[in-house]
Every structure is written in C-alpha cells, then in structure tokens.
Amino acid sequence: MVKITVDGKKLETEEHLTVLEACLQNGIFIPNLCFLKTRPHPHASCRLCFVSIEGYDRPITACTERVRDGLVVKTDTPEVRALQRSAFKLLMSLHPCNAKLCPTEKPCLLMRIAKHIGVGINPKPLERINRGLPDFVDFGSLYYVPNRCVLCARCIHTCRSINKRPLLTFAKRGIMTMVAYFSSGNDSEVCSNCNACVDICPVAALLPKSAFINFLEAKETHA
Amino acid sequence: MEVSGQHIGHGIREEEEQAISEKLPEILGEFSRERSSLLPILQRIQEAFKFLSPGAIKAVAEYLGLSGSEVYGVATFYNQFRFHPPGRHEIKICMGTACHVKGGDVILENFERRLGIKEGETTPDREYSIERVACVGCCALAPVAVVDDKVIGYMQPSKVEGLFLQFEIQRKIREGQIKTEAS
C-alpha cells in the first residue's frame, strides 16, 4: 500500500495505480475522458485530468503519473483549473450540446465536468466551430455522430482490444479528425455487433441502428 | 439532417477496381511485408492509378497483415493521397494564407456548388475534380485557382462561369455535337 495526500486528505492506495485511478477509487473526482484502465499506455489526449503535484513546477496529467509514498496532490489549484477550462472550452467548441436529443444519461459526463470546473456547457468565450461534417455517418451496424465525438479514442482502443484486427480508426487529421470504420471484408474483420464501442463512448457519438430509430422518433416529437 | 456513408469509394466502377486488382500483386511484390513499407506502397499505388481505391486499401492491408482500418487511417491522414479518380479537368483551389484572406473559400464554394461535389471529389461523369491546395507560390495573384496545371490569378465567381462555358464547348466538340470548320 502507498500513502498519498490529496487535497489535504490522507489516502491509502494500492501500488502501481495512476494518480487518477487512486483519486477516483477514493471518491475524489478528477475530470477525465480518454482514460481507460485497459490501455497499456495512457492516451493523455483529453487534457482534463490535470493535477498539481508537490515537487513539479507545473500541473501534470493525473493519468500519466503513478502513485508513490508521500505524494502530495492538489486537484483544484488555479493553474489546474485554468488548463482544464481551456481544454474543456476547446472541446465544447466542436460539440454543440443538444441535451434534449442526446441519448446520454443526464447529467452527462461533459455536464458533470463543466459543473466540477465551474464553467458553462457552452464554448464561450470561444466560438462554435462548424466543421461541415455530416450529422450521421453510416458505419454498417452503427451510426457515428461526428459532432458529438470528443475524440477520446476509447472506442478505437476497445475495438482493438476485442478484435485482433480493429475496425475503428481515426481518419483525417487536425480539426477534421473523425472516427471511421473500415473493414477489409476479410473474415477476421467483421463487426460482430458487440456494441462495446457504443457502451464505452462517454458522449453517445456511436449509436446502434435500433437506437437511431428511437432518435428519429424523438426528433419528430421535438420538431 | 444529413446521413452520409464513409466518404471514399463511391462512384468507382467495378471494372476499374478489377483492373486495379489485377495489377496490384506486381506492385506489392516490389515491397517487403513490413509495416514500414506502408507509406511507400500507398505512394506507389497512387502513382500507378492516380488514386487509392477501397479495393487497393484492402489489398495493402492484407499484404502487410494490418487491418483495413489501420491502412485507411494512415492514408486519410496525409493530404497527398486521394480516394477518388481525378477528373478530366483537375481544379485546384489555393487556400494558402494570401488566397484565404482574399476569399479563396468563396471561390472553392463556387466551384463546389457549380459542380455539386465537395473538395476531394470527382463529378460522376469524371469530367471535373476539385482539390484544395496549400499554396501554389504566386500569392500576388490571390485568390488563385490552378486548372489543368494552368494558373488563373485574381479568381472571381464570374471567371468560374467562363471557365465552364469553355470546357463545355470543348466537350461538345470532342463528342461531335458541334462541328468545327476543320471537320
């Protein structure tokens, strides 16, 4: 066991955990989107899990740091919050929130993060960016909603860990990056409809086709 | 509400895929079956066929023991690769800094609307394809379009119309709908 201090609270945690896991296990919420325990290396791409650790001159991502004895962690310093807020606002500038039509359980993870770091769910003061992407992309057995996707890559990793030959990938680059489905048609590359990617998505950017029909009905009633 | 398929491969004819797949083994044979061969192979295929067809991507994945999605992800990352066969007339719109400031996006939009396709695509009749490029090196003429390797400076929407008028006449002559004096 390892003893660490988080926000003045003394915690005892298992060894080999990341600071992020240790905090989450002890009921201390640190915003995070891209972390998955099954990943051999943390992706560290969402830039939301910043914490300040004594001995470091700048905040670091909690998912990349392992716990060790005597670690003193603060999760809510002004520097940490400033970094989290800018990362969050950048995400929201690509994620038009339409809570009524969004099938996530409310409050969704993004809403909880917004509340936790004390900002609104809108991108203000940043602008909303329209990438000109389609509302839905047909992935065969799924629909992908590019404007909801936060590019956390959880689905890609999950698909990769289940199928030797992953079916999901990032396509394109920069601001146009999106998740794509491409199968070579080979027997080892057939989507088995396991829906693991759907379940792991934090923002309901992947929908099984049956859920899509419900969505269309919901849209009708709201229209 | 717009539902779109994956954005590659539509409009490619079966006989084209057939022709590509017949020549592919020879090209693939030039390379070792290592992951590091991926980009050189894709470049070689594009050199040979002018674009990467879905069939070609699958064949590369099979050859290198990768999944189709990995090859697809790498190929879409680079602007160099195209996924649609080029049209008879290749239209490139400059989106460099100077052209951007001078309204290059309006020119691009003009071409897109006129042809009913998006950048990176080819019209179904294979007459025209649109591409956006970063800078063609003549910023003083911004906004610039490069049509069939001919640079057109100070681009305006009215010039777009003129260009197509010219191309349509050429096409009709080619198809024998208009007799020239020589014939």
Side-chain angles (χ1 to χ4, degrees):
Chain A
M1 294 301 264
V2 173
K3 286 179 185 153
I4 64 168
T5 313
V6 181
D7 294 336
K9 252 204 262 176
K10 288 198 166 32
L11 305 177
E12 256 192 39
T13 74
E14 292 164 50
E15 283 168 62
H16 308 303
L17 288 183
T18 61
V19 173
L20 178 63
E21 287 169 280
C23 290
L24 293 177
Q25 281 181 6
N26 285 284
I28 299 168
F29 181 64
I30 296 176
N32 71 90
L33 286 172
C34 67
F35 180 77
L36 268 186
K37 201 177 168 53
T38 52
R39 260 185 186 145
H41 302 286
H43 204 242
S45 64
C46 71
R47 315 313 286 170
L48 287 171
C49 70
F50 278 111
V51 292
S52 135
I53 294 180
E54 219 163 77
Y56 289 88
D57 59 353
R58 69 196 72 154
I60 54 167
T61 42
C63 66
T64 54
E65 192 70 13
R66 303 235 168 241
V67 290
R68 55 180 186 270
D69 253 330
L71 214 61
V72 180
V73 181
K74 281 195 182 134
T75 67
D76 58 351
T77 65
E79 293 81 17
V80 165
R81 284 287 182 263
L83 284 169
Q84 289 172 327
R85 282 175 191 141
S86 24
F88 185 75
K89 289 298 180 183
L90 284 168
L91 274 182
M92 292 314 291
S93 68
L94 296 175
H95 180 99
C97 174
N98 193 341
K100 270 186 191 162
L101 292 177
C102 180
T104 49
E105 206 175 301
K106 308 292 175 317
C108 73
L109 186 52
L110 292 176
M111 288 171 172
R112 276 186 283 149
I113 291 173
K115 197 175 174 208
H116 186 80
I117 61 175
V119 293
I121 194 86
N122 53 53
K124 280 175 208 164
L126 303 183
E127 281 174 45
R128 175 145 293 156
I129 292 169
N130 183 359
R131 291 179 287 174
L133 298 174
D135 295 327
F136 297 94
V137 183
D138 194 337
F139 274 11
S141 53
L142 305 165
Y143 279 111
Y144 169 64
V145 191
N147 288 324
R148 271 190 207 144
C149 181
V150 290
L151 303 176
C152 65
R154 280 194 201 183
C155 53
I156 294 175
H157 171 77
T158 305
C159 188
R160 183 160 304 199
S161 58
I162 291 173
N163 304 303
K164 268 201 188 123
R165 294 198 166 181
L167 293 152
L168 294 176
T169 182
F170 277 138
K172 305 200 188 178
R173 163 169 58 130
I175 201 163
M176 296 308 285
T177 308
M178 56 197 280
V179 174
Y181 170 92
F182 191 91
S183 166
S184 74
N186 185 301
D187 286 345
S188 61
E189 272 180 60
V190 179
C191 176
S192 59
N193 290 323
C194 70
N195 280 349
C197 53
V198 174
D199 297 336
I200 205 78
C201 180
V203 291
L206 290 168
L207 298 175
K209 285 205 167 162
S210 55
F212 181 72
I213 292 159
N214 295 340
F215 169 85
L216 285 183
E217 281 165 4
K219 193 159 178 130
E220 295 273 296
T221 35
H222 282 290
Chain B
M1 192 180 64
E2 191 192 344
V3 179
S4 130
Q6 299 279 8
H7 67 285
I8 73 160
H10 50 83
I12 296 170
R13 300 179 199 115
E14 218 161 279
E15 60 264 29
E16 283 176 304
E17 277 286 27
Q18 190 66 37
I20 291 172
S21 71
E22 276 166 22
K23 286 185 202 152
L24 267 179
E26 196 186 323
I27 292 177
L28 292 174
E30 297 169 22
F31 299 89
S32 59
R33 289 177 181 250
E34 289 162 45
R35 207 193 156 103
S36 57
S37 303
L38 176 53
L39 272 180
I41 292 179
L42 292 177
Q43 286 170 321
R44 179 74 182 82
I45 292 175
Q46 173 145 315
E47 195 187 300
F49 306 109
K50 308 288 177 217
F51 75 108
L52 303 177
S53 70
I57 292 176
K58 289 170 189 174
V60 173
E62 205 52 48
Y63 185 75
L64 296 177
L66 300 170
S67 79
S69 74
E70 281 175 289
V71 177
Y72 177 78
V74 169
T76 54
F77 183 87
Y78 295 99
N79 278 352
Q80 180 188 5
F81 297 117
R82 48 180 310 141
F83 302 94
H84 300 270
R88 180 188 299 270
H89 300 291
E90 286 183 68
I91 298 161
K92 295 174 187 146
I93 314 296
C94 182
M95 285 289 159
T97 313
C99 291
H100 172 78
V101 169
K102 286 284 211 165
D105 52 339
V106 178
I107 303 300
L108 176 64
E109 205 261 322
N110 244 287
F111 275 104
E112 287 180 340
R113 203 177 36 197
R114 175 68 172 71
L115 293 173
I117 54 172
K118 291 240 166 72
E119 51 117 349
E121 295 180 351
T122 305
T123 51
D125 60 4
R126 297 290 169 84
E127 280 293 312
Y128 307 101
S129 58
I130 308 178
E131 228 178 300
R132 59 189 291 168
V133 292
C135 181
V136 294
C138 50
C139 306
L141 305 179
V144 173
V146 182
V147 179
D148 295 338
D149 292 328
K150 203 175 130 218
V151 174
I152 307 173
Y154 307 117
M155 222 27 223
Q156 289 166 8
S158 59
K159 285 194 182 176
V160 174
E161 272 315 307
L163 205 61
F164 283 117
L165 192 65
Q166 187 193 326
F167 284 146
E168 286 307 309
I169 291 172
Q170 279 175 11
R171 179 186 189 165
K172 283 184 178 159
I173 292 172
R174 201 169 59 233
E175 291 171 357
Q177 292 177 24
I178 299 177
K179 295 265 187 295
T180 52
E181 278 176 33
S183 56

